[in-house]
Amino acid sequence: MRIIITYIIIAVNLVSSYAQDMETIIDLSGKWSFSIGDNMEWAHENFNDDEWNTIYVPDSWEDQGYHGYDGIAWYRKGFNILSSVANQNLYLELGYIDDVDEVYINGYLVGSTGSFPPNYKTAYNAKRLYYVPTHMLKENDENIIAIRVFDERLEGGILRGDIRLLKEKNPLILDIDLQGYWKFKKGDNEKWSNLTDYSNWEEIRVPGTWENQGYYNYDGFAWYVIQIIPKEEITKKDLILVLGKIDDIDELYINGEFIAGTGRFKDNYKEIHVSYEYNEFRGYYLPENILKPNEINTIAVRVFDARLQGGIYKGPIGIISQEKYIQYWRDKKRSR
């Protein structure tokens, strides 16, 4: 009983924290174009779906004429966005999808939850919220969302919840945006903080829990890595590396050098104790000259998850000047 109560508290905290920070700019519920079957060309923005059927979102496809259909189907919908919001931090909320999804905007993969066959993992109970990089969007023009969905059995499709495009109310505008796909590996080895080659590592979407990306029920150690080539003008500034929120504890390394962390690691993972670190916002001050201009720099994050959800689950994720970071928190305090 205690574990169940803990899960409910954590789930409510994660969802409510998003709701408090976001506001709706486009309601995407209603009629979408729809087709059963599977063709990756359907992700492209210029695909002609005029002959597709129309389906209502959110609702199961079984209740809209596709009773008994299990397998892959696609949804498509267009939307326009004004230049006044195109450069802000935007997120696509898609409620709850049964069972697995991949989401594309203008042909770019935004994110996915669960795993498609042959390595099938359902994520029917995961709330979908995907960060939308601004380079994917066309200002003052039509943008196309294409959603690939796999349903194993029973109800399928975009079932329930809010379907909308959101923006952050008080966005933290990053100098280097690191939200997107990182290299990822389960296990623990401090040598992983600065390898010469990460090509054989898997990829994972950041931010996003690892349970919703094929690592269901995994508790323990894992490493995230991204490599960047910063411009010299950025490296001359006093910088903060923002890692949003992480479940449960973490350590940050840059080019193999330990920078900072939240929580206490132990040599024996059974001795590691966690409490409310999952809800702490990570903003790590970087030592002077730690980033090498115009060279490859390796950012590595060691994470330990004790139970339930795990990983770098909430943004923003990126690098910002100390000046802008301090001003952001001052403005945030005044707006309360």
mmCIF file of all heavy atoms in Angstrom, residues 178-221:
data_model
loop_
_atom_site.group_PDB
_atom_site.id
_atom_site.type_symbol
_atom_site.label_atom_id
_atom_site.label_comp_id
_atom_site.label_asym_id
_atom_site.label_seq_id
_atom_site.Cartn_x
_atom_site.Cartn_y
_atom_site.Cartn_z
ATOM 1 N N LEU A 178 19.767 21.952 -25.447
ATOM 2 C CA LEU A 178 20.213 20.562 -25.464
ATOM 3 C C LEU A 178 19.060 19.576 -25.370
ATOM 4 O O LEU A 178 19.276 18.376 -25.167
ATOM 5 C CB LEU A 178 21.205 20.313 -24.314
ATOM 6 C CG LEU A 178 22.502 21.120 -24.354
ATOM 7 C CD1 LEU A 178 23.358 20.816 -23.139
ATOM 8 C CD2 LEU A 178 23.275 20.851 -25.642
ATOM 9 N N GLN A 179 17.831 20.058 -25.532
ATOM 10 C CA GLN A 179 16.684 19.162 -25.525
ATOM 11 C C GLN A 179 16.629 18.420 -26.857
ATOM 12 O O GLN A 179 16.813 19.009 -27.910
ATOM 13 C CB GLN A 179 15.406 19.959 -25.268
ATOM 14 C CG GLN A 179 15.437 20.625 -23.898
ATOM 15 C CD GLN A 179 14.274 21.551 -23.640
ATOM 16 O OE1 GLN A 179 13.449 21.275 -22.789
ATOM 17 N NE2 GLN A 179 14.222 22.660 -24.349
ATOM 18 N N GLY A 180 16.376 17.135 -26.786
ATOM 19 C CA GLY A 180 16.392 16.311 -27.987
ATOM 20 C C GLY A 180 16.923 14.930 -27.652
ATOM 21 O O GLY A 180 16.683 14.412 -26.556
ATOM 22 N N TYR A 181 17.655 14.332 -28.582
ATOM 23 C CA TYR A 181 18.140 12.963 -28.383
ATOM 24 C C TYR A 181 19.583 12.943 -27.884
ATOM 25 O O TYR A 181 20.460 13.595 -28.455
ATOM 26 C CB TYR A 181 17.988 12.155 -29.675
ATOM 27 C CG TYR A 181 16.546 11.751 -29.894
ATOM 28 C CD1 TYR A 181 15.664 12.601 -30.555
ATOM 29 C CD2 TYR A 181 16.057 10.553 -29.385
ATOM 30 C CE1 TYR A 181 14.329 12.256 -30.724
ATOM 31 C CE2 TYR A 181 14.733 10.199 -29.550
ATOM 32 C CZ TYR A 181 13.868 11.048 -30.219
ATOM 33 O OH TYR A 181 12.564 10.713 -30.366
ATOM 34 N N TRP A 182 19.781 12.199 -26.796
ATOM 35 C CA TRP A 182 21.092 11.983 -26.186
ATOM 36 C C TRP A 182 21.473 10.508 -26.334
ATOM 37 O O TRP A 182 20.620 9.655 -26.545
ATOM 38 C CB TRP A 182 21.058 12.315 -24.696
ATOM 39 C CG TRP A 182 20.912 13.753 -24.325
ATOM 40 C CD1 TRP A 182 20.039 14.661 -24.843
ATOM 41 C CD2 TRP A 182 21.650 14.450 -23.312
ATOM 42 N NE1 TRP A 182 20.178 15.882 -24.227
ATOM 43 C CE2 TRP A 182 21.174 15.772 -23.272
ATOM 44 C CE3 TRP A 182 22.668 14.082 -22.438
ATOM 45 C CZ2 TRP A 182 21.667 16.726 -22.397
ATOM 46 C CZ3 TRP A 182 23.166 15.027 -21.554
ATOM 47 C CH2 TRP A 182 22.674 16.334 -21.540
ATOM 48 N N LYS A 183 22.751 10.195 -26.176
ATOM 49 C CA LYS A 183 23.192 8.819 -26.059
ATOM 50 C C LYS A 183 22.870 8.316 -24.651
ATOM 51 O O LYS A 183 22.909 9.076 -23.676
ATOM 52 C CB LYS A 183 24.694 8.703 -26.334
ATOM 53 C CG LYS A 183 25.076 9.026 -27.769
ATOM 54 C CD LYS A 183 24.493 8.012 -28.746
ATOM 55 C CE LYS A 183 24.971 8.255 -30.163
ATOM 56 N NZ LYS A 183 24.442 7.241 -31.111
ATOM 57 N N PHE A 184 22.598 7.003 -24.544
ATOM 58 C CA PHE A 184 22.099 6.465 -23.280
ATOM 59 C C PHE A 184 22.594 5.039 -23.098
ATOM 60 O O PHE A 184 22.643 4.255 -24.051
ATOM 61 C CB PHE A 184 20.571 6.480 -23.293
ATOM 62 C CG PHE A 184 19.922 5.928 -22.044
ATOM 63 C CD1 PHE A 184 19.813 6.710 -20.909
ATOM 64 C CD2 PHE A 184 19.418 4.633 -22.023
ATOM 65 C CE1 PHE A 184 19.208 6.211 -19.752
ATOM 66 C CE2 PHE A 184 18.817 4.127 -20.882
ATOM 67 C CZ PHE A 184 18.707 4.922 -19.743
ATOM 68 N N LYS A 185 22.952 4.718 -21.850
ATOM 69 C CA LYS A 185 23.396 3.360 -21.542
ATOM 70 C C LYS A 185 23.051 3.012 -20.105
ATOM 71 O O LYS A 185 23.341 3.779 -19.191
ATOM 72 C CB LYS A 185 24.905 3.222 -21.749
ATOM 73 C CG LYS A 185 25.434 1.786 -21.681
ATOM 74 C CD LYS A 185 26.920 1.766 -21.989
ATOM 75 C CE LYS A 185 27.502 0.358 -21.951
ATOM 76 N NZ LYS A 185 26.972 -0.479 -23.060
ATOM 77 N N LYS A 186 22.426 1.862 -19.910
ATOM 78 C CA LYS A 186 22.168 1.356 -18.563
ATOM 79 C C LYS A 186 23.460 0.828 -17.950
ATOM 80 O O LYS A 186 24.366 0.402 -18.657
ATOM 81 C CB LYS A 186 21.123 0.239 -18.598
ATOM 82 C CG LYS A 186 19.750 0.671 -19.043
ATOM 83 C CD LYS A 186 18.718 -0.422 -18.798
ATOM 84 C CE LYS A 186 19.046 -1.689 -19.556
ATOM 85 N NZ LYS A 186 18.005 -2.734 -19.359
ATOM 86 N N GLY A 187 23.516 0.864 -16.616
ATOM 87 C CA GLY A 187 24.702 0.401 -15.910
ATOM 88 C C GLY A 187 25.509 1.564 -15.367
ATOM 89 O O GLY A 187 25.058 2.711 -15.373
ATOM 90 N N ASP A 188 26.718 1.263 -14.902
ATOM 91 C CA ASP A 188 27.498 2.318 -14.255
ATOM 92 C C ASP A 188 28.988 2.062 -14.418
ATOM 93 O O ASP A 188 29.493 0.985 -14.090
ATOM 94 C CB ASP A 188 27.155 2.373 -12.762
ATOM 95 C CG ASP A 188 27.737 3.588 -12.077
ATOM 96 O OD1 ASP A 188 27.786 4.664 -12.720
ATOM 97 O OD2 ASP A 188 28.150 3.481 -10.912
ATOM 98 N N ASN A 189 29.665 3.084 -14.945
ATOM 99 C CA ASN A 189 31.120 3.036 -15.092
ATOM 100 C C ASN A 189 31.586 4.473 -15.283
ATOM 101 O O ASN A 189 31.209 5.127 -16.252
ATOM 102 C CB ASN A 189 31.507 2.181 -16.302
ATOM 103 C CG ASN A 189 33.000 1.944 -16.388
ATOM 104 O OD1 ASN A 189 33.809 2.768 -15.950
ATOM 105 N ND2 ASN A 189 33.388 0.813 -16.964
ATOM 106 N N GLU A 190 32.392 4.975 -14.364
ATOM 107 C CA GLU A 190 32.808 6.379 -14.431
ATOM 108 C C GLU A 190 33.639 6.687 -15.669
ATOM 109 O O GLU A 190 33.733 7.841 -16.085
ATOM 110 C CB GLU A 190 33.575 6.769 -13.160
ATOM 111 C CG GLU A 190 32.666 6.935 -11.956
ATOM 112 C CD GLU A 190 33.344 7.674 -10.813
ATOM 113 O OE1 GLU A 190 34.137 8.595 -11.088
ATOM 114 O OE2 GLU A 190 33.077 7.301 -9.651
ATOM 115 N N LYS A 191 34.231 5.666 -16.286
ATOM 116 C CA LYS A 191 34.977 5.880 -17.524
ATOM 117 C C LYS A 191 34.054 6.330 -18.660
ATOM 118 O O LYS A 191 34.524 6.882 -19.649
ATOM 119 C CB LYS A 191 35.716 4.602 -17.920
ATOM 120 C CG LYS A 191 36.833 4.217 -16.956
ATOM 121 C CD LYS A 191 37.546 2.957 -17.424
ATOM 122 C CE LYS A 191 38.663 2.570 -16.457
ATOM 123 N NZ LYS A 191 39.351 1.312 -16.900
ATOM 124 N N TRP A 192 32.765 6.072 -18.533
ATOM 125 C CA TRP A 192 31.801 6.465 -19.559
ATOM 126 C C TRP A 192 31.645 7.983 -19.652
ATOM 127 O O TRP A 192 31.029 8.488 -20.584
ATOM 128 C CB TRP A 192 30.447 5.837 -19.289
ATOM 129 C CG TRP A 192 30.441 4.338 -19.403
ATOM 130 C CD1 TRP A 192 31.434 3.552 -19.914
ATOM 131 C CD2 TRP A 192 29.406 3.455 -18.970
ATOM 132 N NE1 TRP A 192 31.075 2.226 -19.840
ATOM 133 C CE2 TRP A 192 29.834 2.132 -19.275
ATOM 134 C CE3 TRP A 192 28.167 3.632 -18.378
ATOM 135 C CZ2 TRP A 192 29.052 1.012 -18.989
ATOM 136 C CZ3 TRP A 192 27.377 2.521 -18.104
ATOM 137 C CH2 TRP A 192 27.815 1.231 -18.406
ATOM 138 N N SER A 193 32.195 8.716 -18.690
ATOM 139 C CA SER A 193 32.043 10.169 -18.684
ATOM 140 C C SER A 193 32.816 10.853 -19.795
ATOM 141 O O SER A 193 32.542 12.011 -20.112
ATOM 142 C CB SER A 193 32.469 10.748 -17.335
ATOM 143 O OG SER A 193 33.868 10.554 -17.136
ATOM 144 N N ASN A 194 33.768 10.151 -20.408
ATOM 145 C CA ASN A 194 34.573 10.818 -21.432
ATOM 146 C C ASN A 194 35.193 9.803 -22.384
ATOM 147 O O ASN A 194 36.417 9.694 -22.505
ATOM 148 C CB ASN A 194 35.672 11.659 -20.781
ATOM 149 C CG ASN A 194 36.285 12.651 -21.755
ATOM 150 O OD1 ASN A 194 35.657 13.066 -22.725
ATOM 151 N ND2 ASN A 194 37.525 13.041 -21.493
ATOM 152 N N LEU A 195 34.351 9.067 -23.100
ATOM 153 C CA LEU A 195 34.826 8.112 -24.089
ATOM 154 C C LEU A 195 35.112 8.822 -25.411
ATOM 155 O O LEU A 195 34.630 9.924 -25.663
ATOM 156 C CB LEU A 195 33.783 7.013 -24.311
ATOM 157 C CG LEU A 195 33.382 6.165 -23.096
ATOM 158 C CD1 LEU A 195 32.308 5.171 -23.492
ATOM 159 C CD2 LEU A 195 34.597 5.437 -22.519
ATOM 160 N N THR A 196 35.888 8.178 -26.246
ATOM 161 C CA THR A 196 36.151 8.745 -27.572
ATOM 162 C C THR A 196 35.047 8.402 -28.561
ATOM 163 O O THR A 196 34.883 9.085 -29.568
ATOM 164 C CB THR A 196 37.494 8.221 -28.117
ATOM 165 O OG1 THR A 196 37.468 6.790 -28.121
ATOM 166 C CG2 THR A 196 38.646 8.705 -27.244
ATOM 167 N N ASP A 197 34.267 7.351 -28.262
ATOM 168 C CA ASP A 197 33.249 6.898 -29.217
ATOM 169 C C ASP A 197 32.014 6.401 -28.469
ATOM 170 O O ASP A 197 32.110 5.477 -27.650
ATOM 171 C CB ASP A 197 33.825 5.780 -30.088
ATOM 172 C CG ASP A 197 32.862 5.317 -31.176
ATOM 173 O OD1 ASP A 197 31.841 6.007 -31.396
ATOM 174 O OD2 ASP A 197 33.121 4.272 -31.788
ATOM 175 N N TYR A 198 30.865 7.028 -28.750
ATOM 176 C CA TYR A 198 29.588 6.610 -28.159
ATOM 177 C C TYR A 198 28.634 6.056 -29.225
ATOM 178 O O TYR A 198 27.440 5.952 -28.981
ATOM 179 C CB TYR A 198 28.920 7.802 -27.460
ATOM 180 C CG TYR A 198 29.659 8.306 -26.241
ATOM 181 C CD1 TYR A 198 30.578 9.340 -26.338
ATOM 182 C CD2 TYR A 198 29.430 7.742 -24.991
ATOM 183 C CE1 TYR A 198 31.247 9.808 -25.221
ATOM 184 C CE2 TYR A 198 30.098 8.203 -23.862
ATOM 185 C CZ TYR A 198 31.004 9.245 -23.986
ATOM 186 O OH TYR A 198 31.665 9.703 -22.872
ATOM 187 N N SER A 199 29.168 5.696 -30.377
ATOM 188 C CA SER A 199 28.310 5.311 -31.497
ATOM 189 C C SER A 199 27.508 4.044 -31.225
ATOM 190 O O SER A 199 26.440 3.845 -31.815
ATOM 191 C CB SER A 199 29.136 5.137 -32.769
ATOM 192 O OG SER A 199 30.127 4.134 -32.596
ATOM 193 N N ASN A 200 27.993 3.181 -30.328
ATOM 194 C CA ASN A 200 27.269 1.941 -30.051
ATOM 195 C C ASN A 200 26.266 2.077 -28.908
ATOM 196 O O ASN A 200 25.606 1.102 -28.541
ATOM 197 C CB ASN A 200 28.251 0.801 -29.749
ATOM 198 C CG ASN A 200 29.077 1.054 -28.490
ATOM 199 O OD1 ASN A 200 29.219 2.198 -28.048
ATOM 200 N ND2 ASN A 200 29.635 0.004 -27.918
ATOM 201 N N TRP A 201 26.134 3.285 -28.356
ATOM 202 C CA TRP A 201 25.129 3.524 -27.319
ATOM 203 C C TRP A 201 23.762 3.728 -27.966
ATOM 204 O O TRP A 201 23.663 4.125 -29.135
ATOM 205 C CB TRP A 201 25.491 4.755 -26.494
ATOM 206 C CG TRP A 201 26.592 4.538 -25.499
ATOM 207 C CD1 TRP A 201 27.675 3.710 -25.618
ATOM 208 C CD2 TRP A 201 26.725 5.184 -24.225
ATOM 209 N NE1 TRP A 201 28.472 3.801 -24.507
ATOM 210 C CE2 TRP A 201 27.916 4.699 -23.641
ATOM 211 C CE3 TRP A 201 25.978 6.118 -23.540
ATOM 212 C CZ2 TRP A 201 28.348 5.120 -22.384
ATOM 213 C CZ3 TRP A 201 26.412 6.556 -22.293
ATOM 214 C CH2 TRP A 201 27.584 6.051 -21.717
ATOM 215 N N GLU A 202 22.715 3.474 -27.204
ATOM 216 C CA GLU A 202 21.368 3.732 -27.671
ATOM 217 C C GLU A 202 21.054 5.216 -27.553
ATOM 218 O O GLU A 202 21.810 5.987 -26.954
ATOM 219 C CB GLU A 202 20.373 2.890 -26.875
ATOM 220 C CG GLU A 202 20.592 1.397 -27.066
ATOM 221 C CD GLU A 202 19.648 0.552 -26.233
ATOM 222 O OE1 GLU A 202 18.964 1.106 -25.354
ATOM 223 O OE2 GLU A 202 19.609 -0.667 -26.456
ATOM 224 N N GLU A 203 19.925 5.630 -28.124
ATOM 225 C CA GLU A 203 19.502 7.029 -28.028
ATOM 226 C C GLU A 203 18.231 7.118 -27.191
ATOM 227 O O GLU A 203 17.412 6.196 -27.181
ATOM 228 C CB GLU A 203 19.253 7.627 -29.409
ATOM 229 C CG GLU A 203 20.532 7.860 -30.202
ATOM 230 C CD GLU A 203 20.291 8.717 -31.423
ATOM 231 O OE1 GLU A 203 19.156 8.733 -31.939
ATOM 232 O OE2 GLU A 203 21.244 9.398 -31.865
ATOM 233 N N ILE A 204 18.091 8.249 -26.508
ATOM 234 C CA ILE A 204 16.916 8.475 -25.676
ATOM 235 C C ILE A 204 16.532 9.947 -25.763
ATOM 236 O O ILE A 204 17.392 10.815 -25.929
ATOM 237 C CB ILE A 204 17.196 8.058 -24.208
ATOM 238 C CG1 ILE A 204 15.897 7.916 -23.414
ATOM 239 C CG2 ILE A 204 18.162 9.035 -23.533
ATOM 240 C CD1 ILE A 204 16.090 7.226 -22.070
ATOM 241 N N ARG A 205 15.244 10.208 -25.678
ATOM 242 C CA ARG A 205 14.749 11.580 -25.775
ATOM 243 C C ARG A 205 14.868 12.264 -24.408
ATOM 244 O O ARG A 205 14.469 11.715 -23.386
ATOM 245 C CB ARG A 205 13.289 11.581 -26.236
ATOM 246 C CG ARG A 205 12.624 12.933 -26.269
ATOM 247 C CD ARG A 205 11.240 12.832 -26.899
ATOM 248 N NE ARG A 205 10.501 11.684 -26.435
ATOM 249 C CZ ARG A 205 9.783 11.639 -25.322
ATOM 250 N NH1 ARG A 205 9.725 12.695 -24.531
ATOM 251 N NH2 ARG A 205 9.112 10.558 -24.980
ATOM 252 N N VAL A 206 15.414 13.475 -24.423
ATOM 253 C CA VAL A 206 15.585 14.279 -23.209
ATOM 254 C C VAL A 206 14.909 15.632 -23.413
ATOM 255 O O VAL A 206 15.202 16.314 -24.398
ATOM 256 C CB VAL A 206 17.087 14.493 -22.897
ATOM 257 C CG1 VAL A 206 17.272 15.427 -21.715
ATOM 258 C CG2 VAL A 206 17.780 13.149 -22.640
ATOM 259 N N PRO A 207 13.946 16.016 -22.530
ATOM 260 C CA PRO A 207 13.515 15.297 -21.339
ATOM 261 C C PRO A 207 12.483 14.219 -21.648
ATOM 262 O O PRO A 207 11.803 14.277 -22.665
ATOM 263 C CB PRO A 207 12.892 16.405 -20.478
ATOM 264 C CG PRO A 207 12.348 17.373 -21.480
ATOM 265 C CD PRO A 207 13.312 17.355 -22.635
ATOM 266 N N GLY A 208 12.365 13.272 -20.738
ATOM 267 C CA GLY A 208 11.390 12.192 -20.835
ATOM 268 C C GLY A 208 11.839 11.039 -19.961
ATOM 269 O O GLY A 208 13.032 10.716 -19.915
ATOM 270 N N THR A 209 10.930 10.408 -19.244
ATOM 271 C CA THR A 209 11.306 9.283 -18.393
ATOM 272 C C THR A 209 11.775 8.122 -19.255
ATOM 273 O O THR A 209 11.314 7.942 -20.383
ATOM 274 C CB THR A 209 10.130 8.810 -17.525
ATOM 275 O OG1 THR A 209 9.094 8.278 -18.366
ATOM 276 C CG2 THR A 209 9.559 9.951 -16.694
ATOM 277 N N TRP A 210 12.703 7.343 -18.731
ATOM 278 C CA TRP A 210 13.180 6.207 -19.536
ATOM 279 C C TRP A 210 12.159 5.074 -19.564
ATOM 280 O O TRP A 210 12.143 4.288 -20.505
ATOM 281 C CB TRP A 210 14.556 5.737 -19.098
ATOM 282 C CG TRP A 210 14.748 5.194 -17.700
ATOM 283 C CD1 TRP A 210 14.014 4.256 -17.048
ATOM 284 C CD2 TRP A 210 15.823 5.529 -16.796
ATOM 285 N NE1 TRP A 210 14.524 3.990 -15.808
ATOM 286 C CE2 TRP A 210 15.643 4.746 -15.626
ATOM 287 C CE3 TRP A 210 16.918 6.380 -16.866
ATOM 288 C CZ2 TRP A 210 16.520 4.812 -14.536
ATOM 289 C CZ3 TRP A 210 17.773 6.450 -15.789
ATOM 290 C CH2 TRP A 210 17.585 5.680 -14.633
ATOM 291 N N GLU A 211 11.253 5.001 -18.574
ATOM 292 C CA GLU A 211 10.204 3.974 -18.608
ATOM 293 C C GLU A 211 9.330 4.107 -19.847
ATOM 294 O O GLU A 211 8.852 3.106 -20.395
ATOM 295 C CB GLU A 211 9.319 4.058 -17.359
ATOM 296 C CG GLU A 211 9.897 3.399 -16.123
ATOM 297 C CD GLU A 211 10.920 4.273 -15.420
ATOM 298 O OE1 GLU A 211 11.166 5.412 -15.869
ATOM 299 O OE2 GLU A 211 11.482 3.827 -14.409
ATOM 300 N N ASN A 212 9.098 5.344 -20.297
ATOM 301 C CA ASN A 212 8.241 5.570 -21.459
ATOM 302 C C ASN A 212 8.990 5.440 -22.777
ATOM 303 O O ASN A 212 8.431 5.710 -23.839
ATOM 304 C CB ASN A 212 7.616 6.961 -21.375
ATOM 305 C CG ASN A 212 6.610 7.064 -20.254
ATOM 306 O OD1 ASN A 212 6.103 6.059 -19.774
ATOM 307 N ND2 ASN A 212 6.331 8.285 -19.811
ATOM 308 N N GLN A 213 10.264 5.033 -22.706
ATOM 309 C CA GLN A 213 11.072 4.943 -23.920
ATOM 310 C C GLN A 213 11.777 3.593 -24.043
ATOM 311 O O GLN A 213 12.878 3.492 -24.560
ATOM 312 C CB GLN A 213 12.093 6.090 -23.954
ATOM 313 C CG GLN A 213 11.436 7.466 -23.924
ATOM 314 C CD GLN A 213 12.441 8.578 -24.033
ATOM 315 O OE1 GLN A 213 13.033 8.806 -25.086
ATOM 316 N NE2 GLN A 213 12.656 9.286 -22.938
ATOM 317 N N GLY A 214 11.080 2.561 -23.567
ATOM 318 C CA GLY A 214 11.580 1.203 -23.771
ATOM 319 C C GLY A 214 12.287 0.582 -22.591
ATOM 320 O O GLY A 214 12.719 -0.568 -22.678
ATOM 321 N N TYR A 215 12.407 1.319 -21.462
ATOM 322 C CA TYR A 215 13.122 0.788 -20.297
ATOM 323 C C TYR A 215 12.152 0.620 -19.133
ATOM 324 O O TYR A 215 12.383 1.079 -18.024
ATOM 325 C CB TYR A 215 14.284 1.707 -19.932
ATOM 326 C CG TYR A 215 15.238 1.905 -21.088
ATOM 327 C CD1 TYR A 215 15.094 2.989 -21.950
ATOM 328 C CD2 TYR A 215 16.244 0.987 -21.348
ATOM 329 C CE1 TYR A 215 15.941 3.166 -23.029
ATOM 330 C CE2 TYR A 215 17.097 1.151 -22.433
ATOM 331 C CZ TYR A 215 16.939 2.251 -23.270
ATOM 332 O OH TYR A 215 17.769 2.421 -24.340
ATOM 333 N N TYR A 216 11.058 -0.041 -19.422
ATOM 334 C CA TYR A 216 9.977 -0.215 -18.455
ATOM 335 C C TYR A 216 10.458 -1.004 -17.239
ATOM 336 O O TYR A 216 11.145 -2.019 -17.363
ATOM 337 C CB TYR A 216 8.813 -0.943 -19.118
ATOM 338 C CG TYR A 216 7.592 -1.057 -18.264
ATOM 339 C CD1 TYR A 216 6.847 0.075 -17.931
ATOM 340 C CD2 TYR A 216 7.182 -2.291 -17.769
ATOM 341 C CE1 TYR A 216 5.710 -0.024 -17.142
ATOM 342 C CE2 TYR A 216 6.043 -2.400 -16.990
ATOM 343 C CZ TYR A 216 5.314 -1.274 -16.664
ATOM 344 O OH TYR A 216 4.198 -1.381 -15.883
ATOM 345 N N ASN A 217 10.106 -0.481 -16.045
ATOM 346 C CA ASN A 217 10.415 -1.129 -14.765
ATOM 347 C C ASN A 217 11.905 -1.184 -14.465
ATOM 348 O O ASN A 217 12.342 -1.953 -13.608
ATOM 349 C CB ASN A 217 9.840 -2.553 -14.702
ATOM 350 C CG ASN A 217 8.383 -2.556 -14.297
ATOM 351 O OD1 ASN A 217 7.870 -1.565 -13.785
ATOM 352 N ND2 ASN A 217 7.699 -3.657 -14.541
ATOM 353 N N TYR A 218 12.728 -0.370 -15.155
ATOM 354 C CA TYR A 218 14.154 -0.375 -14.851
ATOM 355 C C TYR A 218 14.461 0.582 -13.711
ATOM 356 O O TYR A 218 14.149 1.773 -13.773
ATOM 357 C CB TYR A 218 14.997 0.018 -16.073
ATOM 358 C CG TYR A 218 16.480 0.064 -15.748
ATOM 359 C CD1 TYR A 218 17.170 -1.111 -15.456
ATOM 360 C CD2 TYR A 218 17.177 1.271 -15.686
ATOM 361 C CE1 TYR A 218 18.525 -1.086 -15.115
ATOM 362 C CE2 TYR A 218 18.528 1.304 -15.362
ATOM 363 C CZ TYR A 218 19.196 0.125 -15.076
ATOM 364 O OH TYR A 218 20.524 0.158 -14.732
ATOM 365 N N ASP A 219 15.071 0.069 -12.660
ATOM 366 C CA ASP A 219 15.575 0.865 -11.549
ATOM 367 C C ASP A 219 17.071 0.598 -11.424
ATOM 368 O O ASP A 219 17.520 -0.546 -11.522
ATOM 369 C CB ASP A 219 14.887 0.487 -10.234
ATOM 370 C CG ASP A 219 13.395 0.748 -10.273
ATOM 371 O OD1 ASP A 219 12.977 1.726 -10.917
ATOM 372 O OD2 ASP A 219 12.637 -0.047 -9.667
ATOM 373 N N GLY A 220 17.834 1.669 -11.197
ATOM 374 C CA GLY A 220 19.269 1.503 -11.072
ATOM 375 C C GLY A 220 20.028 2.631 -11.742
ATOM 376 O O GLY A 220 19.506 3.743 -11.892
ATOM 377 N N PHE A 221 21.269 2.346 -12.157
ATOM 378 C CA PHE A 221 22.140 3.352 -12.753
ATOM 379 C C PHE A 221 21.953 3.423 -14.265
ATOM 380 O O PHE A 221 21.686 2.423 -14.927
ATOM 381 C CB PHE A 221 23.607 3.033 -12.467
ATOM 382 C CG PHE A 221 24.027 3.258 -11.037
ATOM 383 C CD1 PHE A 221 24.049 2.207 -10.132
ATOM 384 C CD2 PHE A 221 24.420 4.520 -10.609
ATOM 385 C CE1 PHE A 221 24.454 2.413 -8.819
ATOM 386 C CE2 PHE A 221 24.823 4.735 -9.299
ATOM 387 C CZ PHE A 221 24.842 3.676 -8.403
#
